[in-house]
Structures are given as C-alpha cells and as structure tokens.
Amino acid sequence: MKDENKNMIEITGQVKNIIFRNKENGYTVFKIKTMDEKNSSEFVCNGYFADIYQDEILGLSGFFFMHKLYGEQFKVLGTKKKMPVSEEEMQKYLASGIIKGVGPKIAEKIVFMFKEKTFDVIENDCEKLLKIKGINKKLALNINKSFVDLERDRNNMIYLQSLDISHGYINKIKKKYGDNLIELLKINPYRLIDEIVGIGFKKADLIAEKSGIEKNSDFRIKSGIKFCLRQVSENNGHVCLPKEILLDNVKNLLEIDLDLIEKKLDEMLKEKLLTEKILDGKKVVYLNFFYLMEEFIAKKILSLNEIIDDLEIKNLDGEIKKFSLKKNICLTERQMIAVKEAIKNGISIITGGPGTGKTTTLKVILGILKSKGFCVELCAPTGRAAKKMTEATGYQAKTVHRLLGINFFDDGEKKIKFDFDENHLLETDYLIIDESSMIDIYLIFNLLKAIKIGTKLIFVGDVDQLSSVGPGNILKDLIESKKIKVVYLEKIFRQAEESLIVINAHKINKSERLELNKSNCKHDFFLINNINSGEIINIIIKMIFERIPKKLGLKNILETQVLCPMKRGDLGTINLNKILQEKLNAADYLKNETVFNNNIFREGDKIMQIKNNYSLEWRIFDKKNICIANGFGIFNGDTGFIKKIDHEQKKIIIKFDDDKIVEYSFLQLDEIDLAYAITIHKSQGSEYKSVIIPVLSGPPMLMNKNLLYTAVTRAKDLAILIGNPKIIYAMIKNKKELERYSGLKFKIKSLCK
C-alpha cells in the first residue's frame, strides 16, 4: 500500500468508537462522525495518537484510501484537538470517561446548571460545582485538576504539532518532559538532540527558529559543537577530532562567526563539558564519555598484558607437536610462535590475510588449552562472524553481546545493561575474539569491564581490513602501540594458493596487478571490463539469475551478495536495491508492502539492520512453532528477510539469518534497509558464497585498496569485479586510508613510560 502522492484533505469530527488501540506505539483505528450538521457522515480512520478519547472532537488531516479487506478508510497524518463548543458536545465530552469520577449523570447536571460557561467554571471557579448534588469538595477538585491537565495536554499537543513533530516523537517528548514541555523546549529546544533518540540538529534548529531563538545563542553553539563531535563518530568513526577541524565543521554547520564558536568551545573546555588533549602534537577534542572510555581501555589492556606465565603449560613445544601429529597438522614456524605467544601472554594478537592459517592456528591453541582443562570462551562482534567461527573451530562461539548477556533496567526509560560487568566478571581462563578488526570502542569497553585480571585475551583478525563500522580503531591501535605481542601470518598455504580469490586478495593488499588466468587454479575470480553503468546493471542481473547459479549450483539466487563502494550513484546501493528488488521480488497482489521514507518494503525482501537496537526482542522457533530460545538485541549489519507485513497491527515480522524472528512496528522502519546490495563497509565479518563488486567511479579517498581488499575477501566460492579496470587498478595502487582519529595507541604508550 503506497502512501505518497495522495490528495490531503482536512476534516473535523467527533470520535464515536475506538475500534483498536496499540498503547505501545499509539496506533489507533476508530470511527469518527463529521461535524457538518447538513451533511454529516461516519467513517473509519487510522493513525498514530499520543492519546485519544471517545466523544472528543478532532481536526484531522490526511487522505482516503481503499483497504483491501475493510474498504474505504481515512489515513490520519496530522491531528488537532478541539474543545467542544455546544452544550450537547460538552456533555458528551464530560460523560466520555475522560475525567475520573464524572459519568453521564454528573455530566448532565453540570452542563444543565452552567450551560455555555461549563468549562470556564470547571477551570477557574470549581467551588461552584459543590452546588450540584453528588459533588463533594474532593470530587470538585479532582474534576478541576483533570480538566486542567487535559487542557495542558491539548496545548502541548498543539504546540508540538505546530513544530511539525511526528506522532512517534510526540509520544517520546511527552513522556520525557511531562507537563512542562512547552516551557522547557522554548528555552532550549536543542536538548532534544541529546534526550530524544532520532531528533537531530537540523530538526532542533528548525524548532529553535520557530521559537525565536537567535542563531548565535549559547544553546545553539554548544549544541552545534557537541553535534559535530557526535556526527563524526557516527559517520566517520572518529573518537576525537583535531580542534582546527572541529571549529571548521561547526562553522559550516552554524554559519556564524568563528570567534563566537572558539569562545564558546573554550568555555565548554573550562567547564569540563568536553575534554581537550594533545595527541601526537595535535590538540584534539573529545566528548567526555569517549575520553573516559579510552582511558579505561588503555589501563585495562596494560593490566591484562602484564600477566606472562611461561610455566602455565610445561613443555609447550612438545604439546604443540603432539597435538599437531594427532590431528595431522603441519604448522609453519610463524604459526608455532603464534600458538606459544597466545598461550603464555596476557594479551596477544594473531593477524594475517586469507589462506594464511589463522583458523588452523586457532584450532591448535584451542585443542591444547581444552586438553589441559582450561576454560576458554570464543566470541566475535557479529552473529555471522560467530557462526563462521563455530563452524571453523568446532567449538561454540558467541557474539560479544550474547557473551556479556544483554539486559535492561528502567529509570523512566528502558536502558541497556549487561549481566557481566565490573561487578559480575566473566569466569574464564582464556577469551578468544575473532574478526577483531570489527571491534569498536563501545564493544571493547563493555567487554573489558567484564574481564577479570588473570584472564588472557587472544585477538584474531585481519588488520588490513577496513576499520570497524562504529567509532574507534581498536585492533590497529593495539598493534601500533607496540606494547602488545603481535604475530603476523604471511605464508599462503597450498590449498589456498589454488584460489584466485586468495591470490588476488593478497595482490590487492600488496598493490600488485591482479592474476586472472593462472593455471592449476580454481576459476573463482573474474574481472569484467565495462564502463557503462546501464550495461553493468544488466550484467549484474544476468549474473544473479543465470551464470552464478549455474556455475555454483545455487538454488537460491539471493545467496549472491552485491557489494558497493558507495550508497549513491547509478551503481550505489540505493539505486541498485530498487532495481534488484523489482527483479528479485517484484510487486504482487499476494505480497503485502508498505512505504517508509520513499522506500518500499515488501514481503520476501532481503533486508539489513542498519543500527544497533539492544531492546528488540527476538525468538527462535522449532518446526512445530514452539519457541525454543529468546533474547534481546539486533545489531548493525544483521541481515534477514521480511516474512510478513501486517497493516492492521502496523508491524513487520523479519526472520534473520540465524533464525531469529523479530517484530518491528512501522515506526521502527528507519532501522532497516533493503540488502540486495550493501556497502562494502557493512559486509565486514560476513562471508558469502558469491559476491559481485561493481566499480566505476568514486572519491579518491574512499576508493582505496583496503576497500577493495575487504570486498574480495568476503567471497567464499566466487568473486566478480565488474567495471572500469583503470579505476580498479587505481584503487589497488591507492594506499591512502581515510584517517580515523583516536588516541588509544598514544594513551597506551604514555602509560608505559
């Protein structure tokens, strides 16, 4: 059901019957009677309401549409509450149950006595109500309070609607600020950015402008500075920002004099609202919580790293040889070193590209530790990575979130907490973290809080992959601090040498030309030369439908993943998702669909979660539809399919790749995106049977070898590059990475002095 391009109309009517109401998200289906006495009519409406009462009068804006099951309805997009005017309307309003203690009889008596002055008496002279039989002082005061509260609530609604705030956010704002929301927001609407999830600077700035707040107000400048720091952490992964760059960003955002911004920034630093430090000779500015996180991480890493025990396992060389012989494993000298360093050091890092034996090394470490009775936990940042780790090692691996145990507490808002933290530590001797390049500052902070001194950490990952999607540069900072034992695995094993995917991944990493026709190799890597975006799109479609399924024997065409360098452009994810959706999951009268932010979501669509949501509840069902597991948390990068779209309940049911079933309300659709094509960044930690990588053009800083290397290493059985070879080889030669500002390596170094 598509909602765009409808003719908006406005109507005024009285709520006659509330058919359905979801208290959680405010979605309501109700019958309304229009106020036009000469041509009055009744019809069904649906929309989102902070609150709604039978017999109240509403001004509605929206459009009529034909529901396929229930006929014509009115879709409400905007609401204005109106007070009753006639005595009959007043009586119905009071009798509706909206005021506690007032029923039809009392309502009739009140209106009969005070006529058109009824509401004025209730609000301003409630003692007169004592003249009515059945009303005592307590009830009179209650009627007054209830009426005044309702009037205030109506004024609050009118105020918020005048600011073009949607119903979903109105509910959140009312819950947060209560009765005083108008006064609070008129003073400082920028507080919404910090306190209401989903409201950004642009929206707060529009509200401020409508409220008459000056462009150079203290609130605006302070908020702009903090917003710029948050924005670069979310969009670019920075934990801090050089002062010069921050000032420039804020100036571009606020469009005011730089001197005013500098003055306010210095005030915020003096008031310790932000933190300034000198790192590598540069003045950088932190949001306080990022600075404190980095400080904690650096100190905890060094505390854990101090523990070295060569005698933990006697004759370790002999144990390695014995286990290797038993499992018919032949380790290289570098792998032998990796095993020994991992077992004896407080913290160690094993890094290397595809085919260099990281998994084999890990199996030997696990086998020896398990045989000696040590407790070992395995984890990875994402569900896909944890599943891959389990399959590769034969031991159960968990996501970091699941390892820590997600839970919640409620202090007026639902907030996340972990079962394991500084007060309840994980009981394990060793903790192995795979795909460590994906770990961001939030994840490592919470993980380290839950680790007791004496536990040994083993980080496994490919440092040449892209940095984490979230802020921080954890694996690279740990390595570059030069205070942690690092073993690089470089030798490509014979079996891996037979794969052009592996060979070319290493060639990309070394900025060398691709190998396309090597004898005695599996033909699992192809470069298709084409510089026309329209033709490239047609090739992608043909590959997905015909050539790849035929080559790999795939039954499900959706097992091929398109990986794009960018979101925008002809070959970006936005355009390709629309095209591929119509080819792979075309519109059908049997498939429900809904529209959100100009995106069509349809039953059967492949989707991806694009932000962490710790409070989403998931369930796993067996073949008899009995729930066998449940928990909380769906995370950035998790993929799945839309099983069902329910227009009555306004919800979407999604089944994720790990069989988790999750219900989303229509208000949560900003958390998902189509995933027929995804950005290379979002593919980190995942593995696909086949990948198609369209490359035609892009900004030089983005189009580098790390991006291409990450994309190619996502392919298990087949990698296809399509595009302009000149651009592809320019990427391979481009060793520049997008700089990511963080201070962890400097902090670790300084603490060691």
Side-chain angles (χ1 to χ4, degrees):
M1 182 175 64
K2 302 180 183 180
D3 297 341
E4 58 240 327
N5 302 322
K6 299 288 184 178
N7 294 319
M8 292 279 288
I9 61 173
E10 294 187 357
I11 59 172
T12 299
Q14 190 170 34
V15 177
K16 302 303 294 180
N17 180 31
I18 297 173
I19 300 167
F20 170 81
R21 179 160 172 78
N22 184 326
K23 291 182 180 179
E24 187 176 332
N25 62 24
Y27 176 69
T28 310
V29 180
F30 62 98
K31 188 174 283 189
I32 198 165
K33 183 177 182 181
T34 59
M35 302 300 288
D36 187 345
E37 292 182 7
K38 294 181 180 177
N39 193 23
S40 179
S41 61
E42 290 188 10
F43 47 85
V44 174
C45 305
N46 70 62
Y48 293 88
F49 295 82
D51 50 41
I52 187 169
Y53 303 97
Q54 188 166 320
D55 291 325
E56 73 173 319
I57 297 168
L58 301 175
L60 306 176
S61 58
F63 57 83
F64 284 99
F65 72 97
M66 187 61 67
H67 192 287
K68 61 184 178 183
L69 293 179
Y70 301 106
E72 189 176 58
Q73 293 189 2
F74 187 79
K75 186 174 183 65
V76 180
L77 299 179
T79 316
K80 289 183 180 177
K81 297 199 173 195
K82 300 190 175 184
M83 291 301 285
V85 177
S86 70
E87 292 177 22
E88 181 185 359
E89 290 167 3
M90 288 180 181
Q91 185 174 323
K92 285 181 178 179
Y93 178 77
L94 293 175
S96 67
I98 199 168
I99 295 177
K100 192 176 178 181
V102 177
K105 290 184 179 179
I106 294 289
E108 185 181 0
K109 290 177 182 178
I110 294 172
V111 176
F112 179 78
M113 179 170 287
F114 300 112
K115 310 292 188 216
E116 73 279 359
K117 294 182 179 179
T118 293
F119 288 168
D120 181 57
V121 169
I122 291 173
E123 184 175 3
N124 301 308
D125 201 1
C126 68
E127 287 189 3
K128 288 183 178 179
L129 295 174
L130 297 174
K131 297 177 182 178
I132 297 171
K133 188 176 180 181
I135 297 181
N136 55 27
K137 189 172 183 179
K138 184 178 178 181
L139 181 55
L141 290 171
N142 180 67
I143 293 169
N144 167 261
K145 184 179 183 306
S146 297
F147 186 85
V148 169
D149 288 346
L150 286 165
E151 180 68 6
R152 186 191 296 113
D153 188 59
R154 188 177 73 91
N155 290 334
N156 286 344
M157 284 288 292
I158 291 169
Y159 173 70
L160 293 174
Q161 288 168 342
S162 73
L163 300 174
D164 296 322
I165 296 174
S166 68
H167 283 293
Y169 289 123
I170 285 174
N171 283 328
K172 293 177 183 178
I173 292 168
K174 286 178 65 180
K175 185 177 179 182
K176 179 71 180 177
Y177 302 122
D179 296 339
N180 300 319
L181 69 87
I182 294 177
E183 293 84 354
L184 291 171
L185 295 185
K186 280 186 175 178
I187 293 169
N188 178 20
Y190 295 100
R191 67 189 301 162
L192 289 167
I193 302 169
D194 294 324
E195 297 170 350
I196 304 296
V197 176
I199 292 187
F201 187 86
K202 190 176 179 182
K203 185 65 180 177
D205 218 22
L206 287 171
I207 295 169
E209 188 179 351
K210 287 185 177 183
S211 302
I213 292 174
E214 296 289 333
K215 275 198 162 189
N216 59 358
S217 77
D218 283 1
F219 288 129
R220 184 170 188 263
I221 300 172
K222 280 185 177 181
S223 180
I225 291 168
K226 288 169 70 178
F227 176 76
C228 282
L229 285 170
R230 276 196 302 268
Q231 193 176 44
V232 295
S233 78
E234 292 170 6
N235 297 341
N236 308 102
H238 300 313
V239 176
C240 55
L241 204 60
K243 197 172 184 179
E244 311 288 325
I245 296 175
L246 174 60
L247 288 168
D248 193 46
N249 287 1
V250 178
K251 187 178 186 300
N252 290 335
L253 176 72
L254 301 183
E255 298 178 332
I256 61 171
D257 192 77
L258 186 62
D259 290 340
L260 288 171
I261 300 168
E262 284 187 278
K263 183 182 176 183
K264 191 52 58 183
L265 176 57
D266 287 339
E267 282 179 23
M268 293 175 77
L269 292 168
K270 284 176 185 175
E271 294 168 8
K272 296 185 178 180
L273 299 173
L274 300 170
T275 301
E276 182 181 80
K277 290 291 171 183
I278 296 176
L279 297 178
D280 201 25
K282 292 178 185 175
K283 283 185 179 179
V284 299
V285 180
Y286 284 88
L287 292 165
N288 287 342
F289 65 87
F290 274 147
Y291 178 76
L292 294 172
M293 278 184 180
E294 265 196 358
E295 282 278 292
F296 172 82
I297 292 165
K299 289 176 181 176
K300 188 67 177 274
I301 286 288
L302 289 174
S303 296
L304 292 167
N305 196 44
E306 287 175 357
I307 302 154
I308 299 177
D309 187 358
D310 291 302
L311 302 175
E312 189 120 25
I313 297 178
K314 293 178 181 178
N315 188 19
L316 185 52
D317 284 337
E319 292 292 341
I320 295 171
K321 288 175 183 176
K322 186 169 76 172
F323 182 83
S324 300
L325 189 63
K326 181 181 176 183
K327 297 294 182 180
N328 196 25
I329 294 171
C330 183
L331 295 179
T332 65
E333 185 180 346
R334 192 65 65 86
Q335 284 177 303
M336 288 275 288
I337 293 169
V339 173
K340 288 190 281 188
E341 297 295 353
I343 289 174
K344 73 179 186 179
N345 281 286
I347 300 181
S348 60
I349 297 171
I350 302 170
T351 185
T356 56
K358 294 192 298 295
T359 300
T360 302
T361 305
L362 201 51
K363 284 180 179 178
V364 175
I365 293 168
L366 278 165
I368 292 170
L369 292 176
K370 292 283 188 179
S371 70
K372 295 298 179 182
F374 289 101
C375 179
V376 186
E377 289 281 4
L378 284 72
C379 67
T382 67
R384 274 181 173 268
K387 185 177 180 182
K388 188 172 142 191
M389 192 182 189
T390 300
E391 291 168 353
T393 64
Y395 292 99
Q396 180 64 46
K398 302 173 184 175
T399 63
V400 175
H401 296 99
R402 188 177 163 204
L403 176 71
L404 295 176
I406 295 176
N407 227 312
F408 300 93
F409 67 94
D410 201 331
D411 62 349
E413 289 183 31
K414 206 173 189 182
K415 291 186 179 178
I416 183 175
K417 72 179 292 292
F418 290 106
D419 293 335
F420 291 98
D421 56 19
E422 63 270 38
N423 299 314
H424 184 202
L425 300 172
L426 289 164
E427 290 294 333
T428 186
D429 300 309
Y430 285 82
L431 178 61
I432 302 173
I433 309 157
D434 200 10
E435 293 289 357
S436 300
S437 63
M438 297 177 64
I439 294 178
D440 62 27
I441 191 169
Y442 300 114
L443 209 53
I444 196 68
F445 173 71
N446 284 298
L447 184 60
L448 288 173
K449 279 201 301 182
I451 294 173
K452 66 179 181 179
I453 301 298
T455 297
K456 294 184 177 181
L457 297 189
I458 304 169
F459 291 92
V460 182
D462 186 348
V463 73
D464 294 315
Q465 300 279 358
L466 291 169
S467 298
S468 57
V469 175
N473 213 9
I474 305 303
L475 184 63
K476 199 165 283 187
D477 275 348
L478 291 178
I479 292 172
E480 291 181 0
S481 74
K482 297 185 177 176
K483 302 300 177 184
I484 310 297
K485 188 64 185 179
V486 183
V487 180
Y488 294 88
L489 301 180
E490 295 172 340
K491 177 180 168 57
I492 304 174
F493 281 82
R494 185 181 60 79
Q495 190 176 357
E497 278 184 331
E498 296 173 0
S499 167
L500 282 177
I501 293 174
V502 173
I503 290 169
N504 283 317
H506 286 274
K507 286 190 172 293
I508 291 167
N509 207 23
K510 293 175 182 176
S511 295
E512 297 175 357
R513 289 191 69 81
L514 298 171
E515 185 72 65
L516 299 174
N517 291 301
K518 189 173 182 180
S519 59
N520 301 321
C521 278
K522 290 184 289 185
H523 287 264
D524 56 4
F525 182 98
F526 296 90
L527 171 58
I528 300 173
N529 182 347
N530 200 300
I531 59 171
N532 181 288
S533 60
E535 290 178 12
I536 290 173
I537 291 169
N538 288 332
I539 292 170
I540 291 171
I541 292 167
K542 189 171 183 179
M543 286 286 176
I544 292 172
F545 273 97
E546 298 174 22
R547 298 182 67 178
I548 293 175
K550 186 177 179 181
K551 181 174 177 62
L552 298 182
L554 299 180
K555 293 181 180 178
N556 186 350
I557 57 176
L558 294 176
E559 288 187 79
T560 295
Q561 183 62 60
V562 179
L563 302 179
C564 306
M566 297 168 295
K567 289 184 178 180
R568 306 199 177 277
D570 289 346
L571 298 178
T573 59
I574 296 171
N575 186 51
L576 284 178
N577 269 319
K578 288 180 179 177
I579 292 169
L580 292 174
Q581 181 189 46
E582 287 308 310
K583 294 293 182 181
L584 299 171
N585 189 34
D588 188 317
Y589 76 95
L590 293 175
K591 296 176 184 175
N592 286 327
E593 63 180 56
T594 190
V595 177
F596 186 88
N597 285 345
N598 295 321
N599 286 327
I600 298 171
F601 291 106
R602 186 176 295 137
E603 289 174 346
D605 272 337
K606 186 178 183 181
I607 62 89
M608 172 178 277
Q609 177 81 7
I610 57 173
K611 59 177 75 171
N612 289 339
N613 187 328
Y614 296 94
S615 63
L616 272 175
E617 185 174 7
W618 53 263
R619 293 181 174 86
I620 296 175
F621 296 89
D622 64 13
K623 291 180 181 179
K624 295 180 180 178
N625 207 31
I626 297 170
C627 181
I628 55 174
N630 68 296
F632 292 94
I634 299 296
F635 304 106
N636 194 347
D638 289 351
T639 56
F641 294 87
I642 296 176
K643 280 176 63 71
K644 184 179 179 182
I645 296 176
D646 187 331
H647 284 289
E648 291 307 306
Q649 298 288 325
K650 294 291 178 185
K651 67 183 181 183
I652 288 182
I653 298 173
I654 295 173
K655 183 177 183 178
F656 284 90
D657 291 345
D658 49 7
D659 294 328
K660 291 174 181 172
I661 303 292
V662 182
E663 288 187 4
Y664 289 73
S665 76
F666 280 11
L667 292 174
Q668 294 173 302
L669 294 185
D670 60 338
E671 296 188 17
I672 64 171
D673 207 346
L674 294 174
Y676 300 102
I678 63 174
T679 62
I680 295 167
H681 226 123
K682 291 284 190 183
S683 72
Q684 285 175 274
S686 298
E687 185 179 72
Y688 310 96
K689 284 186 178 294
S690 61
V691 300
I692 299 174
I693 310 156
V695 178
L696 203 53
S697 63
M701 281 304 293
L702 175 66
M703 306 291 278
N704 57 32
K705 73 182 181 83
N706 293 79
L707 191 78
L708 194 58
Y709 175 77
T710 301
V712 169
T713 54
R714 299 308 91 205
K716 183 181 179 184
D717 297 324
L718 184 63
I720 301 171
L721 270 170
I722 309 176
N724 187 339
K726 287 184 179 179
I727 300 295
I728 291 167
Y729 280 110
M731 288 181 75
I732 292 170
K733 292 292 183 185
N734 184 5
K735 299 178 183 179
K736 292 182 180 178
E737 294 181 56
L738 289 169
E739 188 168 6
R740 184 166 279 207
Y741 295 108
S742 65
L744 182 59
K745 66 181 175 186
F746 302 111
K747 285 189 173 74
I748 291 173
K749 286 178 181 179
S750 67
L751 288 169
C752 287
K753 289 178 182 178

